[in-house]
């Protein structure tokens, strides 16, 4: 899985666990909502500084945003 | 500690543990040696894609490069 996709999925999971909207998190992290949305969709390539800002706003460590994600096994794989 | 400094210190530690020169690691990660040197010194702000490329070349997960570092306690702190 592409690292940007991984970051996006982790970010979305943590954001939803915190019960935050994209808009609320973007405000906290001092980012534009459309940029944050792009990070979640895996189409943006954030720097480590941006990643850290998002992590701080979520109350997690930035390394958590890079955690590996277990992909569901494909039938026959 | 600034996230860029943290990434730099983790990177240098893993690189030295692997016995790799900056030049050898830069070659593996398809980066310029001076850029890699800047990441190690904490003066560059790599994207998650670049971080992942460095991590793969080092044989570690990219989340490891963001791991917290215990700072030695200052006297009187």
């Amino acid at each position: 899985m592409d690292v940007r996709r991984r970051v996006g999925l982790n970010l979305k999971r943590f954001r939803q666990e915190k019960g935050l909207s994209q808009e609320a998190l973007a405000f906290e992290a001092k980012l534009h909502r459309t940029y944050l949305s792009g990070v979640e969709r895996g189409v943006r390539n954030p720097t480590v500084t941006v990643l850290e800002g998002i992590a701080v706003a979520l109350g997690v460590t930035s390394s958590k945003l890079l955690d590996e994600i277990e992909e569901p096994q494909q039938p026959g794989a």
Side-chain angles (χ1 to χ4, degrees), chain A:
Chain A
M1 185 187 298
D2 182 89
V3 63
R4 290 168 298 184
R5 177 111 180 94
R6 212 164 76 220
V7 166
L9 290 173
N10 284 324
L11 164 50
K12 186 173 186 178
R13 179 167 49 85
F14 286 122
R15 179 177 62 74
Q16 293 179 334
E17 280 175 13
K18 307 279 170 181
L20 291 170
S21 65
Q22 285 189 344
E23 194 150 19
L25 178 59
F27 181 80
E28 281 298 317
K30 299 186 178 70
L31 298 171
H32 198 280
R33 191 196 60 76
T34 57
Y35 180 82
L36 185 73
S37 164
V39 177
E40 276 198 11
R41 284 179 289 119
V43 299
R44 291 285 187 166
N45 190 14
T47 63
V48 294
T49 300
V50 166
L51 202 70
E52 182 79 359
I54 296 171
V56 168
L58 284 169
V60 299
T61 60
S62 48
S63 63
K64 284 279 177 200
L65 293 175
L66 282 166
D67 272 353
E68 301 290 334
I69 293 170
E70 281 195 36
E71 294 183 73
Q73 210 147 28
Q74 298 299 311

